[in-house]
Structures are given as C-alpha cells and as structure tokens.
Amino acid sequence: MVDRSFADPSLAALYDTLNPWGPGDDFCLGLVMSADSVLDVGCGTGRLLGRARQEGHRGRLMGLDPAAAMLVRARAHEPGVEWVLGDLRAREWHGEFELAVMTGHAFQVLLGDEELRFALRAVGTALVAGGRFMFETRNPGARAWEGWTPERVREVPDGRGGVVRVWHEVESVAAGEERVTFTETFEGPQWERPQIDRTTLRFLDTDTLDGFLSEAGFVVVERYGDWGRGELTLDSPEIITVAETTGRCS
C-alpha cells in the first residue's frame, strides 16, 4: 500500500519543500552521472533523474514509483525520463542498467524478509553483470525515532500563500527496535482537518543487511556513515551502501 503522503496530490506537492535538495542528493547525482543507464526505484517526484537529465546525462534513465501523484509531478518537471508507475513487480528485468538507486530511505519500507529478498533479487536481475546498487537506511544505533515527537513542528509554505505545519509521533517500537510505526500529521488552511499518514519503517543493522545482500548475489564495495563519506560508526546517522552484483544468488 502506498503511503498517503505520496498518494494524495495535495501532500505529494509538499514533498520537495519538506525534503529540499541536500548533500545526499549531491552524492547520488554523482553516481548517476557516472553511469550510462540508471534505474531509480521509488523515484518519488523524480528530482534526482530530472536533475541528471538537465545537467547533461544522455543515457537511459528510468524512474519507478507506485504513487501516481508523485509521478505526475515527475513527468511535469522532466518529460525526458522514462517514468513508470509501479514497483519492482511491474515488469521482468533483464540486465538493463549499470546502476540502481533507492533513495529517501525507501529501502526501509521493505518490512518483511521475503519482500526484501524479492526486491534485492529484482534489482540484481535489472543490473548488468558488475552493476551497482546504492541505497541508504537510517542507522538503528542513532535511534532517530526518539526525535520524532509532536513538539518538533516544522512549518513550510504551501505554495498558496499559507503555511503547513508538520509533525511526527511514534506509535510503537517493536521487534527488538527493528520496526518503528509512527504518524506524520499535516495541518494547513487547504484542509478542513489535519491529514494523518501512518508509516512503519524497518531499521536493520549492517550484519543483517549484508546477509540479505550476500544471499541476493551482492557484495558491498563502499559503505559510509554520512553523505560526506564519513566512516560508519555505531551512532552514525546513515548506513549508506554501494553494492555490486556478482550474479551468484544463494
């Protein structure tokens, strides 16, 4: 099921304002610009591939997302990219891309083991031999969810002269602190009542991640704890992974 914040056009319109371009986007853009063919899994509003095209990428760029409201914005911003509605089950993949990326912590919505295994196998089959897969997850050691409280309210312009207030609230932390369920609330003049989206994210440590990657035929070639390519420590904010497909699935 697609999160309401991505499926609702009024909420999708706020995504780039709430998540402005930053160091993570610069990191990913560098990888995209160095590959001739790129698949962006969970591409959202498409700003990564759109920027790559605008900055001169002439190869194949495909953005895949299950939220139609996000792809409407992607197509409006940059029609010169293949925008595909759906997830990794949308088609069969046959070694078409040098690079696959999964940004915006989208990897964390893969909650079940089999769902995660399927996604990694699909990415592997979409890549050429020796192709690379880059994704990031929040480091569980940093316990980011402890800061997701209603007292921390963000105010952003709604594009209509008004202001939208946004806050988060954790509902549960389960499975040994591996799964965190929380709400994201939007309050603004365009809605009669607050809009509430509920999400569960999975926080995996590096050992567990690497087990899944190895099983799917990937080997980790780069790993960082922040977007400045800092060393991964116990409390680094991110686990940024670049893995290479070996073509050997267990």
Side-chain angles (χ1 to χ4, degrees):
M1 180 180 294
V2 178
D3 282 358
R4 184 178 183 183
S5 59
F6 304 144
D8 185 318
S10 68
L11 299 180
L14 296 171
Y15 182 84
D16 288 339
T17 301
L18 287 167
N19 302 277
W21 188 277
D25 300 285
D26 290 329
F27 179 101
C28 296
L29 181 62
L31 294 178
V32 171
M33 296 301 290
S34 67
D36 288 337
S37 51
V38 183
L39 173 65
D40 186 349
V41 182
C43 65
T45 61
R47 68 183 182 188
L48 176 61
L49 297 187
R51 177 74 70 88
R53 186 67 85 208
Q54 291 158 15
E55 294 198 4
H57 195 292
R58 293 293 175 262
R60 185 183 184 192
L61 299 175
M62 176 184 287
L64 179 69
D65 201 281
M70 300 293 265
L71 287 187
V72 166
R73 304 191 66 79
R75 293 187 179 108
H77 290 157
E78 179 49 65
V81 172
E82 296 177 62
W83 303 115
V84 178
L85 179 64
D87 57 22
L88 286 164
R89 295 167 293 187
R91 55 178 292 174
E92 293 184 4
W93 307 97
H94 303 287
E96 303 165 52
F97 301 95
E98 292 182 3
L99 173 71
V101 297
M102 197 170 188
T103 65
H105 303 107
F107 192 87
Q108 290 185 256
V109 305
L110 301 171
L111 300 180
D113 287 358
E114 289 310 309
E115 181 183 16
L116 180 52
R117 289 187 176 103
F118 174 86
L120 289 174
R121 286 196 302 267
V123 170
T125 57
L127 292 170
V128 299
R132 293 194 167 189
F133 176 38
M134 176 271 149
F135 64 95
E136 94 282 13
T137 67
R138 296 175 182 87
N139 182 4
R143 304 177 66 84
W145 63 85
E146 292 181 348
W148 298 347
T149 63
E151 295 77 23
R152 298 190 177 190
V153 178
R154 292 185 62 188
E155 294 188 349
V156 297
D158 66 358
R160 306 177 182 182
V163 172
V164 174
R165 301 175 74 248
V166 185
W167 65 91
H168 301 84
E169 184 169 9
V170 173
E171 291 189 340
S172 66
V173 180
E177 298 188 337
E178 188 176 285
R179 288 176 175 79
V180 177
T181 299
F182 64 98
T183 58
E184 184 175 26
T185 301
F186 302 80
E187 183 181 71
Q190 66 265 54
W191 304 295
E192 292 183 359
R193 60 182 63 86
Q195 305 297 296
I196 301 174
D197 176 44
R198 180 172 286 100
T199 303
T200 299
L201 298 179
R202 189 176 186 182
F203 288 74
L204 294 178
D205 59 28
T206 54
D207 288 344
T208 306
L209 283 172
D210 291 351
F212 282 115
L213 287 166
S214 177
E215 182 182 328
F218 285 96
V219 59
V220 175
V221 293
E222 297 179 44
R223 176 158 281 154
Y224 308 107
D226 58 53
W227 296 113
R229 290 181 166 81
E231 180 182 357
L232 176 62
T233 64
L234 291 176
D235 58 355
S236 296
E238 306 284 353
I239 301 174
I240 301 164
T241 301
V242 181
E244 187 172 288
T245 180
T246 64
R248 299 189 299 272
C249 296
S250 60

